[in-house]
Amino acid sequence: MKIRIKFSKQGAMKFVGHLDIMRYFQKAMRRAGIPIRYSEGFSPHQIMSFAAPLGVGLTSIGEYFDIEVTDSMSSEAMNDRLNQVMADEIQVLSCKKLPDSSKNAMSIVCRADYRLEFRDKYAPEDPEGFFEKLAGFYGQEAILITKKTKKSQREMDLKPLIYRLERQGNAIFMQVSTGSVDNIKPESVMEAFYESCQWEYPKFAFQIQRQEVYGLNSQGKPIPLEEFGEDIE
């Protein structure tokens, strides 16, 4: 049986990298007595696949990974068992059964929501002016940046990969392309905005939280990853 697990990552756990989070959940599965399936061969490992790695320093209320189990238990029981062995700053939010034909989360991820809040000393002196410039930035026909790799660099247009960019109170909300093909970091969007205003980009200006991750359903519509599954009674 395929299971999709949604979890949050807060507080000091934001400084724990992706590989260590994977190891953390592998140990949590054993402590919680979850009947997770193992691969076959000389070096069996838990069958576990994460949707989209979260950058170090970011918090989240919408992280996902898939597992396979050898025995069934209710969603509520699985939630409770896992949260009993979790650190306070990581909490399992839902456990959903997936159809047998479901692709793993990593292969269907297409976009993600982020909320960016100013750290105290970085808040703009003129919030209205700041957000007016941000709206003008997003209203451009093209947002060109130079993307560098280890071997080369190329110019790319961010605009088609930013699905929403708007003000929420004194915070910024954005929905951007995420996945193995076009993965856009919220920091890259803000760096391009500051550069367009001829301002120096302060790297630690924002506390960034990922709020949701989406995948494409069979009709090509993006929906939250947990909506691909259903609760186990």
Side-chain angles (χ1 to χ4, degrees):
M1 182 186 297
K2 297 180 179 179
I3 305 292
R4 179 157 296 155
I5 297 174
K6 182 178 185 179
F7 68 97
S8 63
K9 182 182 177 186
Q10 300 289 316
M13 293 300 290
K14 69 184 180 183
F15 299 114
V16 179
H18 177 63
L19 292 178
D20 286 325
I21 289 294
M22 290 177 63
R23 296 186 190 102
Y24 175 87
F25 271 104
Q26 288 168 357
K27 293 176 181 177
M29 291 292 155
R30 292 195 290 270
R31 290 197 300 268
I34 303 300
I36 190 168
R37 184 173 164 235
Y38 282 76
S39 64
E40 299 177 356
F42 292 106
S43 181
H45 59 271
Q46 294 179 6
I47 295 178
M48 179 182 293
S49 173
F50 282 72
L54 184 68
V56 174
L58 277 64
T59 61
S60 178
I61 55 172
E63 296 303 288
Y64 292 91
F65 66 97
D66 295 344
I67 63 172
E68 292 185 23
V69 294
T70 57
D71 197 9
S72 177
M73 68 174 66
S74 71
S75 293
E76 184 178 1
M78 193 176 298
N79 266 35
D80 290 345
R81 281 200 192 185
L82 285 168
N83 282 329
Q84 285 173 13
V85 300
M86 289 286 140
D88 290 341
E89 293 165 330
I90 289 188
Q91 288 294 296
V92 171
L93 304 176
S94 70
C95 298
K96 304 281 187 177
K97 177 185 176 182
L98 297 172
D100 292 340
S101 60
S102 291
K103 297 180 179 179
N104 67 45
M106 182 182 293
S107 68
I108 60 172
V109 167
C110 64
R111 60 181 69 183
D113 293 340
Y114 294 90
R115 180 178 170 88
L116 292 76
E117 296 187 357
F118 289 99
R119 299 184 192 276
D120 290 341
K121 66 178 182 178
Y122 293 104
E125 294 180 3
D126 177 17
E128 299 304 321
F130 178 91
F131 285 108
E132 185 177 334
K133 286 182 179 292
L134 184 65
F137 168 77
Y138 186 50
Q140 299 176 102
E141 290 186 3
I143 300 174
L144 300 177
I145 66 165
T146 300
K147 189 166 185 179
K148 297 178 181 179
T149 65
K150 292 181 179 179
K151 297 183 179 179
S152 65
Q153 60 182 37
R154 63 185 176 94
E155 189 175 69
M156 68 176 294
D157 183 7
L158 282 181
K159 183 61 185 288
L161 307 176
I162 307 172
Y163 305 112
R164 288 174 63 189
L165 180 61
E166 61 196 38
R167 179 179 186 176
Q168 286 187 349
N170 284 324
I172 299 163
F173 173 85
M174 68 174 73
Q175 185 179 93
V176 295
S177 176
T178 302
S180 57
V181 179
D182 291 309
N183 188 64
I184 303 303
K185 296 180 179 180
E187 299 97 314
S188 299
V189 177
M190 296 312 298
E191 189 171 0
F193 166 60
Y194 274 74
E195 186 175 319
S196 74
C197 297
Q198 297 184 327
W199 298 337
E200 181 179 354
Y201 176 62
K203 290 186 178 180
F204 304 105
F206 300 98
Q207 176 56 58
I208 304 174
Q209 177 163 269
R210 184 147 69 186
Q211 296 187 310
E212 189 55 86
V213 178
Y214 300 83
L216 292 177
N217 65 12
S218 57
Q219 288 78 44
K221 177 185 176 182
I223 61 173
L225 289 181
E226 67 178 335
E227 292 187 12
F228 286 85
E230 58 184 19
D231 285 327
I232 311 166
E233 300 298 333

